[in-house]
Amino acid sequence: MKYILVTGGVISGIGKGIIASSVGTILKSCGLHVTAIKIDPYINIDAGTFSPYEHGEVFVLDDGGEVDLDLGNYERFLDIRLTKDNNLTTGKIYQSVINKERRGDYLGKTVQVVPHITDAIQEWVMRQAKVPVDDDGVEPQICVIELGGTVGDIESMPFIEAFRQFQFKVKRENFCNIHVSLVPQPSATGEQKTKPTQNSIRELRGLGLSPDLIMCRCSSPLENSVKEKISMFCHVEPEQVICVVDVTSIYRVPILLEDQGVMGYFCRRLDLPIETRPRKMLTKWKEMSDRSDRLLEHCSIALVGKYTKFTDSYASVIKALEHSSLAISHKLEIKYIDSADLEPNTLQEEPVKYHEAWQKLCSADGILVPGGFGVRGTEGKIHAINWARKQKKPFLGVCLGMQLAVCEFARNVLEWKDANSTEFDPESKYPVVIDMPEHNPGQMGGTMRLGKRRTIFKNNNSILRRLYGDVDHVDERHRHRFEVNPELKEHFEAKGFHFVGEDIEGERMEVIELDDHPYFVGVQYHPEFTSRPIKPSPPYFGLLLASAGKLQSYLQKGCRLSPRDTYSDRSGGSSPDSEIAEFKIPSITQD
């Protein structure tokens, strides 16, 4: 097993996740099996209780793990399926060590950070690196480990120390360290500054880790003199200093790294069993990023949510929209609308904000209401859904978006003025959305309906069923506490509001569709978590098709550009030849 550790310096949020994913992508394109681990030094057990403003969205895995959004990048880039143990936090490590201490496993020893915590970290990494993540069930050959935060933080010290020991345990030819640093270019002088990188690497070396590759994040390409200066002060060869400049699309990063000889370096440094052959999988990335730069037609989607000030809150949603717009060859424009700005109160308090928000909503080609928690902004979302329904604008509601679509229909068509979710109004006379039986009150963490669950289609001519490739069922990931009240189902069905997908028991409503509307769909699950660049998620794909006015012709052609089978046989990606064959998406722009 080969281990590649990615650390970061100078600032957090420097792009370690994308670089770790890109390194994995290059290795995978050579036919190797790659897995990834993300280490977060915070004390939370998992990301489930975070506000999206803290670390961005909470990504959900098949096994119900609520994890850091970087695991979403790994899954999308490498087309693998990870488990909750691929996200390691200080909280998980301390919890496991304390549990062992209570059981008496340490036989009366004093339990200390070194060696007990550091040993637990190394054991966790070695154990998790062996878990198969591809569909073919083969044990991975390479594990990319991303250490969150910045070198020098107090909280990440035990992890750095663990890897200092680890490099000797697994031997030099099996361990390599990439350090991602920032090379700022102050506008006053316009010259690239290397001092932050020098300081960051001095600190890392002082802690016992020597970087093998220094990846410099910069706004313009590194000058040779700067490269040589970093090489001289940081104890590496000039070819070990890699320039990672800002690019138009993150799909360009693997190509950028490959062009600078990163793969050749890994082959020599880690003694990898690769014959140099043309890597077709990277051709796929190149084709995809070239295509995204060449798009001419535009399609705008209004994203109506409550965390719109911080786009990472909707990272997977935005990626799913990008994958779908790429598949129909349109340039995506996302209009972020804070749902609270659509509410009548805002008209009183800040009329300019109110009118701007409505102007954005009315001018968009399609409307998306993503998931969320809490009452703030829900009335604004209901106003947006009402507009989409009456104006026949393509609409997709995800999780809370679907529940609010049910509330909106109940209030304005069934004329139940008081209809609401018990999450927001426990006393409502018409509780159309109710608490779920699985919910465990009193404890917030890990108490939702989480992970991969099956949805059965009840209706043969459902649009979504056809978009999924006319299947009987789909397996998608969930994260919710509340759901549609099944007892009131008949009232909705009678008015043309259909629950076309339900869970296996038929108790939980999973998919809604509305008659006489180009595309009005709600899903209780989160389809964005399984969207891939080459296999866009069908609900989002349908929204983009409808917004671009192409849905009907696409359905009439028998869904020729089949978005994906939820678990494609080829998604293992161990043979890049099948991957590239799959990428030849027939263009549907010629009607």
Side-chain angles (χ1 to χ4, degrees):
M1 173 70 70
K2 311 285 183 186
Y3 300 90
I4 297 174
L5 174 68
V6 180
T7 53
V10 189
I11 56 169
S12 59
I14 197 169
K16 295 187 295 294
I18 300 295
I19 286 174
S21 306
S22 302
V23 165
T25 303
I26 300 173
L27 293 162
K28 187 160 182 174
S29 72
C30 296
L32 297 166
H33 284 78
V34 183
T35 184
I37 294 175
K38 170 78 197 281
I39 295 176
D40 284 303
Y42 47 66
I43 296 175
N44 302 56
I45 299 289
D46 61 24
T49 52
F50 282 142
S51 152
Y53 283 134
E54 290 285 314
H55 293 269
E57 76 170 1
V58 178
F59 191 80
V60 179
L61 302 170
D62 278 351
D63 64 357
E66 295 172 286
V67 295
D68 187 84
L69 60 81
D70 274 323
L71 276 88
N73 283 325
Y74 304 155
E75 287 208 342
R76 283 186 287 269
F77 269 84
L78 300 169
D79 201 3
I80 53 180
R81 292 184 174 263
L82 300 170
T83 64
K84 58 174 176 275
D85 287 344
N86 287 79
N87 190 194
L88 178 52
T89 68
T90 298
K92 282 183 183 173
I93 284 291
Y94 273 84
Q95 191 178 47
S96 72
V97 169
I98 289 167
N99 289 344
K100 281 170 93 172
E101 186 273 333
R102 291 288 83 183
R103 284 200 308 268
D105 293 5
Y106 295 115
L107 301 172
K109 288 268 195 320
T110 307
V111 181
Q112 293 173 293
V113 174
V114 181
H116 300 105
I117 296 290
T118 51
D119 284 354
I121 293 166
Q122 294 172 60
E123 283 158 18
W124 190 299
V125 167
M126 291 174 88
R127 184 177 67 241
Q128 200 53 35
K130 291 191 174 77
V131 176
V133 289
D134 282 312
D135 289 352
D136 55 12
V138 176
E139 185 178 304
Q141 296 154 286
I142 296 193
C143 177
V144 180
I145 306 154
E146 179 195 342
L147 177 56
T150 313
V151 167
D153 293 347
I154 290 177
E155 52 188 14
S156 61
M157 288 295 180
F159 294 102
I160 301 258
E161 171 58 24
F163 286 111
R164 184 194 68 74
Q165 299 168 18
F166 190 67
Q167 62 189 340
F168 301 113
K169 185 184 278 187
V170 297
K171 302 288 182 287
R172 179 178 155 77
E173 65 275 11
N174 297 324
F175 180 86
C176 151
N177 174 213
I178 297 174
H179 188 69
V180 186
S181 182
L182 179 71
V183 177
Q185 197 166 358
S187 52
T189 59
E191 100 186 275
Q192 294 175 324
K193 295 291 185 188
T194 64
K195 193 59 77 186
T197 300
Q198 292 177 39
N199 290 340
S200 169
I201 284 170
R202 185 183 307 119
E203 178 134 32
L204 185 63
R205 289 169 62 86
L207 296 168
L209 282 174
S210 257
D212 295 287
L213 288 174
I214 300 171
M215 302 226 174
C216 301
R217 293 282 291 107
C218 42
S219 50
S220 59
L222 274 188
E223 293 155 22
N224 270 342
S225 58
V226 175
K227 230 179 191 181
E228 280 160 13
K229 191 172 178 185
I230 291 174
S231 149
M232 182 170 64
F233 282 105
C234 300
H235 201 68
V236 292
E237 296 278 345
E239 58 266 23
Q240 289 168 262
V241 181
I242 308 290
C243 161
V244 187
V245 70
D246 296 344
V247 284
T248 47
S249 148
I250 57 168
Y251 304 128
R252 285 202 180 282
V253 181
I255 302 152
L256 184 73
L257 299 183
E258 168 61 10
D259 289 347
Q260 296 180 64
V262 167
M263 197 58 234
Y265 179 79
F266 283 142
C267 289
R268 295 191 301 277
R269 173 72 179 72
L270 295 172
D271 193 19
L272 295 176
I274 302 169
E275 70 282 12
T276 48
R277 58 192 175 113
R279 286 182 283 283
K280 292 188 177 176
M281 200 165 154
L282 278 184
T283 323
K284 164 186 90 170
W285 291 96
K286 184 159 173 38
E287 228 172 274
M288 200 158 55
S289 43
D290 286 349
R291 192 167 160 193
S292 70
D293 289 346
R294 282 200 306 263
L295 301 176
L296 299 173
E297 292 181 271
H298 283 257
C299 184
S300 61
I301 300 292
L303 194 153
V304 184
K306 57 188 268 196
Y307 309 114
T308 49
K309 290 184 185 69
F310 185 46
T311 53
D312 263 1
S313 308
Y314 298 112
S316 295
V317 170
I318 294 164
K319 290 285 180 286
L321 290 170
E322 285 173 0
H323 301 161
S324 300
S325 64
L326 196 60
I328 63 163
S329 303
H330 276 58
K331 207 170 196 63
L332 175 70
E333 182 197 350
I334 300 178
K335 300 180 179 218
Y336 297 99
I337 301 172
D338 188 332
S339 51
D341 292 350
L342 299 169
E343 295 174 4
N345 298 352
T346 311
L347 179 57
Q348 267 36 93
E349 291 158 19
E350 297 179 82
V352 176
K353 250 188 181 174
Y354 176 84
H355 290 298
E356 279 173 354
W358 273 99
Q359 197 275 330
K360 278 188 198 168
L361 185 76
C362 300
S363 60
D365 299 320
I367 294 171
L368 169 68
V369 179
F373 292 89
V375 71
R376 182 173 67 81
T378 48
E379 292 302 317
K381 290 177 183 175
I382 288 176
H383 286 299
I385 293 165
N386 178 269
W387 163 264
R389 182 175 61 79
K390 287 184 169 166
Q391 302 295 322
K392 300 213 178 317
K393 282 266 182 192
F395 164 79
L396 174 64
V398 175
C399 196
L400 179 67
M402 168 202 167
Q403 296 172 2
L404 293 176
V406 172
C407 294
E408 189 279 327
F409 194 84
R411 288 181 193 181
N412 299 318
V413 179
L414 303 179
E415 296 188 344
W416 299 344
K417 292 298 171 216
D418 183 36
N420 212 332
S421 163
T422 55
E423 183 179 4
F424 313 126
D425 178 8
E427 306 302 315
S428 168
K429 282 209 290 291
Y430 296 102
V432 289
V433 176
I434 53 167
D435 205 342
M436 295 173 349
E438 289 183 44
H439 176 35
N440 168 5
Q443 192 179 343
M444 291 284 273
T447 54
M448 288 184 269
R449 183 161 180 251
L450 288 163
K452 188 172 80 175
R453 307 292 170 106
R454 181 156 288 187
T455 294
I456 313 283
F457 284 113
K458 299 288 181 196
N459 185 329
N460 287 340
N461 54 9
S462 136
I463 290 181
L464 202 55
R465 180 184 179 139
R466 290 162 70 190
L467 286 168
Y468 270 107
D470 223 7
V471 290
D472 297 329
H473 64 264
V474 292
D475 294 310
E476 293 275 17
R477 298 173 181 181
H478 292 68
R479 181 177 187 246
H480 62 112
R481 282 200 179 91
F482 292 79
E483 65 194 344
V484 176
N485 186 346
E487 289 170 17
L488 303 174
K489 179 174 139 184
E490 278 68 33
H491 300 281
F492 290 91
E493 299 266 4
K495 295 276 189 181
F497 188 96
H498 300 292
F499 296 97
V500 297
E502 297 175 4
D503 73 339
I504 297 177
E505 288 81 31
E507 291 168 0
R508 296 184 161 87
M509 304 300 121
E510 293 278 2
V511 184
I512 59 162
E513 284 180 19
L514 184 61
D515 286 349
D516 303 324
H517 193 289
Y519 190 79
F520 191 96
V521 173
V523 289
Q524 181 58 73
Y525 50 80
H526 288 269
E528 64 270 18
F529 292 145
T530 47
S531 185
R532 299 285 182 266
I534 313 296
K535 292 174 283 187
S537 163
Y540 287 91
F541 188 57
L543 175 68
L544 263 291
L545 280 169
S547 304
K550 291 189 158 71
L551 182 61
Q552 286 317 310
S553 70
Y554 174 76
L555 292 173
Q556 282 156 12
K557 288 178 185 173
C559 301
R560 209 177 59 220
L561 176 129
S562 112
R564 61 163 186 177
D565 156 22
T566 314
Y567 289 87
S568 154
D569 299 334
R570 294 174 175 172
S571 65
S574 17
S575 77
D577 309 335
S578 60
E579 288 279 350
I580 193 75
E582 197 177 340
F583 186 59
K584 296 284 181 255
I585 297 182
S587 168
I588 58 159
T589 45
Q590 295 83 31
D591 287 343

